[in-house]
């Protein structure tokens, strides 16, 4: 195997030609690797940037594998070959398949001529590799655009389904048209905020901390904080972030109407951690309200309860628990993080 830092393959099996050529290249800060046969050189071509070869080495070898490799190069590649020939002779017609790749250097030659010929070949290869990089980057962009379009179609369908469910549930729980407009509008705004976070992020993910902050910053005070958010930085993919964001909105809205955030003395603590359970990363989140009015079990199931116990549990495969403790609502969630990642701190 050729070391990864050897840019030039040298194939000159007669006499000391290979050692002399390699020594000249070394003196000119060009790294090389000597091959004994063409069969040894061909498997190394993918790693090399240039082949320095004598005419007789090719003529005396089976060239089929070499010719096949050249013919099957990608479109961006014209692998450069420096061919050493004898002065005053024509290039053997059996090597005509090399015409488009050749830099011909007649022997005997000056050491500087060899070095300059190889440098020219290496510059050509460097330009080709730049083209390769450009093509790959454009392909990555195209692939990502296709992926985003597929994700967008999927998300739009899910969003429309969520809006329809919100509209129906809000209508059932509203006592008047004004109540419906107020509650439904607030839910739409919350959903739009989550979508904005996903759109702004390159990887289409939303920060858990920002989801909570977006819903709860309106209820905090400047003189004394009523809301505590504590946990590591975790990002959620779109399919999880959207229902989780809606769940936080329902919890915050409920707290502001009936729970801890409805009283100046009320306090909300949201803490979360990430653990590993049977090889699976889990987000464990606790929502704890204190200092609010006495909590009673609701007489009917509202949209928020259905969202937490059905949508979040089913769509996100999370384990959720709602506890209407007299001293304050308690919500616990264990969410699998298979499709999420840790993100840098802001």
């Amino acid at each position: 195997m050729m070391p990864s830092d050897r840019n030039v393959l040298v194939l000159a099996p007669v006499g000391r030609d290979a050692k002399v050529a390699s020594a000249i290249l070394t003196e000119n800060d060009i790294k090389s690797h000597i091959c004994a046969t063409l069969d040894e050189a061909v498997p190394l071509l993918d790693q090399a940037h240039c082949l320095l070869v004598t005419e007789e080495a090719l003529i005396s070898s089976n060239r089929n594998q070499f010719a096949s490799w050249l013919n099957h190069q990608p479109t961006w590649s014209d692998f450069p070959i420096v061919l050493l020939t004898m002065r005053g002779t024509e290039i053997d017609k059996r090597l005509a398949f090399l015409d488009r790749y050749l830099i011909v250097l007649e022997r005997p030659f000056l050491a500087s001529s060899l070095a300059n010929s190889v440098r020219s070949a290496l510059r050509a290869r460097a330009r080709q590799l730049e083209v390769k990089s450009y093509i790959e980057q454009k392909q990555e962009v195209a692939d990502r655009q296709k992926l985003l379009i597929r994700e967008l179609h999927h998300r739009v369908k899910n969003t429309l389904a969520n809006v329809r469910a919100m509209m129906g549930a809000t209508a059932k729980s509203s006592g008047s048209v004004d109540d419906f407009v107020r509650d439904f509008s607030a839910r739409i705004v919350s959903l739009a905020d989550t979508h904005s976070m996903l759109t702004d992020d390159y990887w289409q993910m939303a920060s858990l901390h920002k989801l909570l902050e977006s819903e709860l910053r309106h209820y905090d005070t400047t003189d004394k904080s009523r809301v505590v958010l504590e946990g590591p930085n975790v990002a959620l993919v779109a399919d999880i972030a959207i229902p989780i964001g809606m769940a936080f909105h329902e919890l915050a809205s409920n707290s502001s109407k009936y729970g801890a955030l409805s009283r100046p003395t009320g306090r909300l603590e949201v803490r979360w951690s990430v653990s590993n359970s049977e090889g699976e990363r889990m987000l464990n989140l606790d929502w704890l309200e204190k200092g609010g009015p006495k909590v009673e079990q609701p007489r009917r199931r509202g949209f928020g309860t259905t969202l937490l116990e059905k949508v979040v549990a089913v769509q996100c495969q999370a384990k959720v628990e709602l506890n209407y403790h007299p001293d304050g609502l308690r919500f616990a969630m264990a969410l699998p993080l298979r499709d999420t990642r840790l993100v840098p701190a802001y």
Side-chain angles (χ1 to χ4, degrees):
M1 179 179 292
M2 180 186 68
S4 59
D5 62 349
R6 301 305 193 213
N7 291 330
V8 180
L9 296 179
V10 178
L11 177 57
V14 178
R16 299 180 62 253
D17 288 352
K19 290 184 178 180
V20 171
S22 183
I24 292 173
L25 296 178
T26 299
E27 290 175 359
N28 286 272
D29 296 325
I30 300 173
K31 296 178 180 180
S32 63
H33 176 75
I34 296 176
C35 297
T37 65
L38 185 59
D39 287 341
E40 178 189 339
V42 170
L44 303 178
L45 292 172
D46 289 326
Q47 305 174 48
H49 290 181
C50 167
L51 173 65
L52 173 63
V53 60
T54 59
E55 186 176 16
E56 60 270 18
L58 292 178
I59 293 173
S60 62
S61 302
N62 184 331
R63 299 174 296 279
N64 291 337
Q65 188 179 3
F66 181 40
S68 176
W69 185 89
L70 291 174
N71 288 333
H72 290 87
Q73 294 180 81
T75 55
W76 57 266
S77 176
D78 273 328
F79 188 81
I81 301 169
V82 178
L83 182 66
L84 303 181
T85 65
M86 296 304 298
R87 187 179 299 277
T89 62
E90 293 290 332
I91 298 176
D92 193 293
K93 293 182 179 179
R94 287 171 290 182
L95 303 182
F97 70 95
L98 298 176
D99 282 351
R100 60 181 288 191
Y101 312 106
L102 283 182
I103 297 175
V104 178
L105 183 61
E106 294 182 340
R107 294 171 288 182
F109 50 75
L110 297 174
S112 59
S113 298
L114 176 64
N116 289 336
S117 296
V118 171
R119 285 197 185 100
S120 178
L122 293 176
R123 283 196 297 270
R125 192 59 175 174
R127 288 193 293 270
Q128 294 170 26
L129 292 174
E130 289 175 358
V131 172
K132 175 191 176 186
S133 178
Y134 174 75
I135 292 173
E136 289 176 343
Q137 289 175 7
K138 290 205 69 174
Q139 187 60 49
E140 288 178 2
V141 171
D143 291 344
R144 175 163 173 75
Q145 286 177 337
K146 291 179 182 178
L147 176 63
L148 290 178
I149 290 172
R150 288 197 299 270
E151 289 182 350
L152 180 61
H153 285 312
H154 174 70
R155 195 190 304 169
V156 166
K157 289 181 180 179
N158 282 348
T159 299
L160 291 175
N162 289 331
V163 170
R164 183 176 180 180
M166 283 193 304
M167 182 177 66
T170 305
K172 290 179 181 179
S173 62
S174 300
S176 65
V177 173
D178 289 341
D179 290 343
F180 171 81
V181 171
R182 182 193 64 239
D183 293 342
F184 186 61
S185 297
R187 285 165 177 162
I188 290 294
V189 169
S190 173
L191 188 60
D193 288 344
T194 302
H195 275 272
S196 294
M197 291 183 199
L198 293 167
T199 304
D200 292 342
D201 183 77
Y202 180 82
W203 296 106
Q204 299 289 287
M205 304 183 86
S207 162
L208 173 65
H209 188 281
K210 287 185 178 180
L211 283 175
L212 285 161
E213 189 178 54
S214 175
E215 294 297 340
L216 296 171
R217 63 172 175 262
H218 314 292
Y219 306 114
D220 211 352
T221 55
T222 56
D223 53 341
K224 184 178 180 181
S225 179
R226 305 169 61 207
V227 178
V228 174
L229 303 179
E230 188 177 290
N233 297 303
V234 177
L236 307 175
V237 294
D239 285 350
I240 293 178
I242 290 173
I244 294 298
M246 292 170 62
F248 290 155
H249 172 77
E250 295 304 318
L251 287 168
S253 177
N254 183 76
S255 181
S256 68
K257 294 177 182 177
Y258 315 110
L261 296 180
S262 68
R263 298 279 181 88
T265 57
R267 180 178 175 85
L268 170 64
E269 298 177 0
V270 185
R271 292 185 169 86
W272 64 95
S273 62
V274 176
S275 63
N276 285 285
S277 176
E278 299 180 353
E280 184 175 52
R281 291 174 60 242
M282 298 289 295
L283 170 69
N284 301 293
L285 181 141
D286 291 302
W287 175 292
L288 177 60
E289 299 185 23
K290 301 176 181 179
K294 183 180 178 180
V295 175
E296 297 180 357
Q297 183 81 22
R299 297 178 181 178
R300 61 179 179 81
R301 294 174 60 86
F303 174 72
T305 304
T306 302
L307 175 70
L308 293 171
E309 295 183 347
K310 299 296 184 181
V311 178
V312 173
V314 175
Q315 185 169 330
C316 303
Q317 297 181 345
K319 294 181 180 179
V320 299
E321 181 181 347
L322 268 175
N323 185 347
Y324 296 94
H325 193 277
D327 293 337
L329 178 73
R330 298 175 183 177
F331 168 71
M333 176 178 67
L335 174 71
L337 292 181
R338 290 185 300 274
D339 296 321
T340 64
R341 62 182 172 91
L342 290 176
V343 294
Y346 350 95

